[in-house]
């Protein structure tokens, strides 16, 4: 197993390297001059030229790319052109915020999605099955933007039970240590704040979870249906085992593999949803960070931001692959 | 995974979930009460949470170029002169007196005494000199506003300021190389706020993260892309101010979400309210609507060098073809006035005698015929991809314009690019006609007419590629004319020529909207977009 993980990590290098090149070329291919955008409409021509020189934008692309790579090998993700701060300093806070939100969302998605899928399969063609699958269809097709605003309206304004934006009650701010506020408040023993922080997670969490939840539910259902028709399930039932036990122990274990794949992919997809969710809910996350960097043509932030996110995506998929073999010993990698 | 592990996982998940549920079901008082006091003190601090569209880029006003940065620095720092509460007249600031010499080449400023920077150092003439030395010794990418307002840096030929000298502790003398009419207005701009020399010398490039000024509030904390917190400056020279104990600026990018946050009490003041949401605000007894005085212009630029817009008759025809009133009614919710000049009426020098092109499709058709284009023509109409104060919904407005043009036989195809691309391509003169706008920097006519329509600024802010020597001469004369009346006359003249030549279709001067809690008092939105919050209070 270790050998396999080592091999996978080794293979990562050309993948990430290729990605830096593609991202590097694409963002330079789109029109829009960073110096112009950073200095704004008001800027004079000479100011723009001066900034371009300072940012190294007047060098040929291969020199810029080489400089960037050299920096990366030294662990330097570059400096934001707009704020002049090192990307590595800035990105951690944003990553932590997105990580917290995504984890919360994926938990909701897995818990609700897997269970809804199981129950739908268990009671195939029942009213629950129909309702759940129609809801799943709605969930997949609902624009996050609209859903987010509706959630804010219903739970924030009409019912008044949940906050609509941000990560915390800013009037009594969380003192951040790790920037994972749930962890921070627990570490400081501030359980009043923990409750506020969790409340802030609920609406964006649901908005972000909706699509993966729907997809996971549908995948679980079809995967379970297939397994439940198999011989060993019939045998288990014939032996008089309780249905609950049959479903959650025997069937689920075999049905979960394709679901895991979907979960892994969805975790990667969350970032796409995160940009919108973070915008609607004023969440200071990495999706918005990169999105704004694209608007400002802040090359180092775009390059390194995407690199870091891609790295996380690849790592999640590695973890999922390892989980396969833990769940199903028949899957071996060596 | 063995059974034990599975159970452990299940228990963990349940634990997390039940905490969440517990959190949700606990009573709904979500800390929405202003200034919840955990120490049980009797007096509640007055905290204002100001929701806005984006985060600041830097809190060093000299380096910032974006409005969101100035919104904060305006309260941390002070300038020698201030703009009026809701206009751009010149008032005292850190300087209590200012005297221009008759030839307009020397300005003597008398400074306020007894003012201290937040780090405890004294504000005096020496500090002012050091600030100007810092800026004038900089480079364009460091202090872009300094360069554009004062014509460059120390060693540049075009630099306006010859010297800044301290005479005693509280007198500063500026000597200019040539008269600069908007000099005092420039001095009052947010970027030229006076910072603590000790602080900027020590922090260097990091000054933007540790700003130290003399303003009514002091910097506390900046959570990037989230919130900036500033506290009351207890040592502020005006003991009556500020009224608030704390201000928190929060970035909530989406306009509707920001208004939602205001309705739930998460924020107390919301910038950038959609015109279409104004009724929601006025219908809510807990909220009030604010109008920011207009200092902008939204326009349809016609690239004057591209046929057929190189023909003045065609440009005039387009001007007659567009029904501005219905655009304003439909998309600005009436919160704008029809533009007839390239600058808003609030600016001194505005020529109100100009009639403007009335909506008259027949006249437009006749003009097209005169230009030999009675069968119309095809063109691209570029629509702004982002809402701006001067243009709430570019694409929808473009659709109306498209319909108006179709009525006189012009087939316009709507084109849009992402914002940075849009600006770049427009600047390169690639559009036939494009929507754009401008918000003034210092409330001076020069900042509209010269910046947007002088031939010097082609390839910069003159996106229409309009070039007229007569206009150029007038605008250059006006730049050094010290007599305000004569200056206004020159601008009036320039506007007449521009009206005849119709390089654009000026569309609207919008009134940007804000919304606040009903118990908020003495908030006066400033036309520049940078609001001083020192007098704001809760009832």
């Amino acid at each position: 197993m270790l050998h396999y993980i080592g091999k996978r990590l080794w293979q990562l290098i050309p993948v990430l390297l290729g990605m830096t090149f593609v991202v590097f070329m694409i963002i330079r291919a789109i029109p829009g001059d960073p110096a112009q955008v950073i200095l704004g409409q008001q800027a004079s021509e000479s100011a723009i030229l001066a900034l371009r020189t300072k940012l190294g934008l007047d060098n040929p692309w291969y020199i810029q790319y080489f400089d960037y790579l050299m920096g990366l090998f030294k662990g330097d993700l570059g400096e934001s052109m707009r704020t002049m701060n090192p990307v590595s300093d800035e990105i951690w806070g944003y990553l932590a915020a997105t990580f917290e939100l995504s984890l919360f969302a994926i938990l909701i998605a897995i818990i609700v999605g897997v269970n809804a899928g199981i129950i739908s399969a268990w009671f195939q063609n029942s009213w629950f099955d129909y309702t759940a699958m129609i809801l799943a269809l709605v969930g997949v097709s609902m624009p996050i933007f609209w859903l987010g605003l509706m959630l804010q309206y219903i739970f924030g304004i009409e019912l008044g039970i949940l906050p609509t934006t941000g990560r915390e009650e800013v009037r009594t701010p969380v003192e951040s240590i790790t920037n994972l506020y749930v962890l921070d408040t627990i570490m400081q023993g501030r359980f009043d704040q923990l409750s506020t922080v969790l409340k802030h997670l609920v609406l964006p969490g649901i908005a972000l979870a909706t699509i993966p939840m729907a997809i996971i539910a549908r995948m679980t259902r079809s995967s379970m249906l297939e397994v439940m028709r198999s011989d060993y399930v019939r045998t288990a039932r014939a032996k008089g085992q309780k249905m609950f036990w049959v479903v959650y122990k025997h069937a689920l274990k075999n049905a979960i593999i394709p679901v895991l794949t979907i979960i892994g992919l969805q975790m990667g997809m969350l970032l796409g949803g995160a940009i919108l969710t973070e915008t609607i809910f004023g969440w200071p996350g990495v999706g918005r960070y990169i999105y704004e960097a694209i608007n400002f043509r802040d090359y180092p932030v775009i390059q390194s931001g995407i690199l870091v996110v891609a790295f996380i995506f690849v790592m999640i998929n590695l973890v999922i692959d390892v989980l396969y073999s833990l769940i199903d010993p028949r899957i071996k990698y060596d | 995974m063995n059974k034990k592990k599975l159970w452990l996982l299940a228990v963990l998940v349940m634990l997390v979930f039940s905490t969440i549920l517990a959190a949700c079901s606990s009573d709904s008082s979500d800390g929405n009460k202003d200034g919840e006091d955990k120490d049980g003190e009797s007096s509640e601090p007055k905290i204002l949470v100001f929701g806005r569209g984006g985060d600041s880029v830097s809190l060093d006003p000299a380096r910032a170029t974006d409005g969101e940065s100035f919104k904060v620095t305006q309260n941390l720092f002070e300038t020698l002169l201030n703009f009026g509460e809701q206009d751009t007249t010149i008032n005292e600031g850190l300087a209590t007196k200012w005297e221009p010499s008759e030839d307009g080449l020397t300005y003597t400023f008398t400074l306020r005494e007894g003012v201290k920077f937040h780090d405890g150092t004294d504000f005096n003439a020496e500090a002012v000199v050091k600030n100007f030395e810092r800026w004038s010794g900089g480079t364009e990418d460091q202090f872009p506003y300094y360069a554009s307002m004062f014509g460059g840096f120390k060693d540049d030929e075009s630099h306006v300021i010859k010297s800044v000298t301290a005479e005693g502790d509280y007198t500063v003398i500026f000597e200019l190389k040539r008269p600069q009419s908007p000099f005092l207005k420039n001095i009052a701009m947010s970027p030229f706020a006076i910072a603590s020399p000790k602080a900027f010398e020590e922090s260097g490039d990091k000054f933007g993260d540790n700003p130290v000024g003399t303003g009514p509030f002091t910097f506390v904390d900046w959570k990037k892309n989230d919130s900036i917190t500033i506290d009351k400056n207890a040592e502020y020279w005006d003991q009556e101010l500020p009224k608030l104990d704390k201000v928190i600026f929060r970035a909530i990018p989406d306009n509707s979400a920001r208004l939602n946050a205001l309705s739930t009490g998460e924020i107390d003041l919301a910038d950038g309210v959609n015109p279409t949401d104004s009724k929601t605000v006025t219908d809510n007894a807990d909220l009030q609507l604010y109008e920011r005085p207009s200092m902008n212009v939204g326009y349809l630029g016609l690239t004057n060098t591209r046929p057929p817009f190189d023909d003045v008759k065609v440009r005039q025809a387009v001007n007659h073809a567009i029904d501005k009133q219905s655009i304003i009614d439909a998309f600005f919710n009436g919160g704008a006035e029809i533009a007839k000049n390239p600058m808003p009426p609030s600016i001194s020098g505005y020529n109100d005698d100009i009639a403007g092109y009335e909506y008259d499709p027949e006249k437009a058709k006749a003009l097209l015929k005169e230009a030999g284009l009675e069968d119309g023509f095809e063109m691209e109409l570029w629509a702004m991809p982002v809402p701006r104060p001067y243009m709430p919904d570019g694409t929808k407005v473009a659709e109306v314009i498209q319909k108006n043009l179709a009525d006189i036989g012009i087939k316009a195809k709507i084109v849009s690019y992402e914002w940075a691309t849009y600006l770049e391509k427009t600047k390169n003169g690639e559009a036939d006609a494009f929507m754009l706008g401008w918000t003034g920097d210092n409330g001076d006519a020069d900042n509209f007419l010269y910046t947007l329509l002088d031939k010097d600024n082609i390839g910069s802010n003159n996106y229409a590629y309009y070039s007229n020597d007569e206009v150029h001469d007038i605008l250059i004369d006006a730049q050094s004319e010290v007599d305000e009346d004569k200056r206004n006359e020159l601008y009036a003249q320039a506007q007449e020529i521009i009206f005849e030549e119709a390089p654009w279709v000026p569309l609207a001067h919008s009134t940007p909207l804000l919304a606040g809690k009903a118990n908020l008092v003495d908030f006066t939105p400033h036309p520049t977009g940078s609001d001083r919050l020192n007098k704001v209070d809760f009832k």
Side-chain angles (χ1 to χ4, degrees), chain B residues 183-198:
Chain B
F183 181 73
L184 292 175
K185 280 186 176 149
N186 290 349
I187 289 288
M189 285 170 65
S190 309
F192 308 120
I194 305 299
S196 155
K198 179 170 170 258

Side-chain angles (χ1 to χ4, degrees), chain A residues 36 41 46 164 297 326, chain B residues 1 140 266 418 427 461:
Chain A
Q36 166 78 60
Q41 263 186 70
S46 51
T164 60
R297 301 287 187 273
L326 285 181
Chain B
M1 200 182 282
E140 294 220 33
E266 289 160 62
E418 173 272 343
K427 191 181 196 174
N461 284 308

Side-chain angles (χ1 to χ4, degrees), chain A residues 33 36 41-42 44 46-47 54 82 94 111 152 157 164-166 168 171 174 199 280 288 297 326, chain B residues 1 13 20 23 57 140-141 223-225 248 250 257 260 265-266 268 418 421 424 427 441 461:
Chain A
D33 176 7
Q36 166 78 60
Q41 263 186 70
Q42 257 74 354
S44 72
S46 51
K54 187 179 172 197
R82 200 156 70 106
Y94 299 123
I111 294 169
Q152 286 180 350
I157 298 179
T164 60
T165 51
E168 59 178 348
R171 295 177 185 96
V174 172
K199 273 189 203 171
I280 289 291
R288 228 173 89 203
R297 301 287 187 273
L326 285 181
Chain B
M1 200 182 282
V13 166
I20 297 160
V57 175
E140 294 220 33
D141 61 283
K223 289 182 175 171
K224 292 282 163 77
N225 247 351
I248 302 167
R250 277 199 54 194
N260 282 348
E266 289 160 62
D268 306 303
E418 173 272 343
T421 310
E424 168 135 327
K427 191 181 196 174
D441 292 309
N461 284 308

Side-chain angles (χ1 to χ4, degrees), chain B residues 187-406:
Chain B
I187 289 288
M189 285 170 65
S190 309
F192 308 120
I194 305 299
S196 155
K198 179 170 170 258
F200 66 66
E201 278 161 13
E202 280 172 9
S203 315
D205 276 353
K206 294 277 166 218
F207 183 68
D209 289 331
N210 312 287
V212 182
T214 59
F217 293 91
T218 60
F219 173 73
V220 180
D221 181 38
W222 185 356
K223 289 182 175 171
K224 292 282 163 77
N225 247 351
D226 192 15
S227 61
I228 294 177
T229 307
I230 58 177
D231 265 353
K232 177 181 186 147
N233 174 10
E235 311 290 313
Y236 191 55
W237 54 266
D238 186 343
Q239 281 301 314
E240 307 280 300
L241 301 173
K243 301 273 169 69
L244 296 165
D245 294 298
K246 197 190 272 288
V247 179
I248 302 167
F249 294 90
R250 277 199 54 194
I252 304 172
D254 185 70
N255 283 1
S256 308
R258 205 176 318 117
L259 191 58
N260 282 348
L262 179 71
S263 307
T264 61
E266 289 160 62
I267 59 176
D268 306 303
L269 189 59
D271 195 9
V273 171
N274 292 331
T276 42
D277 285 333
S278 59
K279 201 173 169 324
T280 317
V281 178
T282 44
D283 285 352
N284 187 336
D286 296 330
L287 302 181
Q288 57 180 322
L289 193 70
Y290 293 102
E291 290 184 350
R292 193 186 285 291
S294 175
M295 203 168 89
N296 61 40
V297 59
Y299 63 88
L300 177 73
L302 309 168
T303 309
N304 286 226
T305 45
R306 282 173 84 95
F309 296 111
D310 52 352
D311 185 338
V312 63
K313 292 227 156 60
V314 178
R315 300 199 296 265
Q316 289 173 337
V318 172
N319 265 283
H320 276 301
I322 292 170
D323 183 3
K324 299 175 193 177
Q325 189 62 54
S326 67
I327 290 176
I328 287 172
D329 290 343
F331 302 110
F332 292 77
N333 236 24
E337 60 182 303
I338 289 184
K340 53 186 186 181
N341 284 318
M343 63 187 213
S346 58
I347 304 256
S348 157
Y350 181 81
N351 188 342
D352 207 15
D353 295 335
I354 283 171
Y357 290 93
E358 78 276 28
Y359 172 55
D360 188 344
E362 289 314 313
K363 215 176 205 169
K365 277 188 203 160
L367 281 163
L368 275 188
K369 198 172 176 188
E370 278 177 49
L373 289 166
E374 58 265 52
D375 298 331
F377 56 92
E378 287 182 16
M379 62 174 271
E380 279 187 358
L381 171 62
W382 288 26
M384 282 176 50
V386 289
R388 279 288 178 274
Y390 45 75
M391 188 61 63
D393 193 334
T395 322
K396 293 230 175 87
V397 172
E399 280 165 17
V400 178
I401 295 176
Q402 183 185 40
K403 167 76 176 52
N404 286 158
L405 292 177

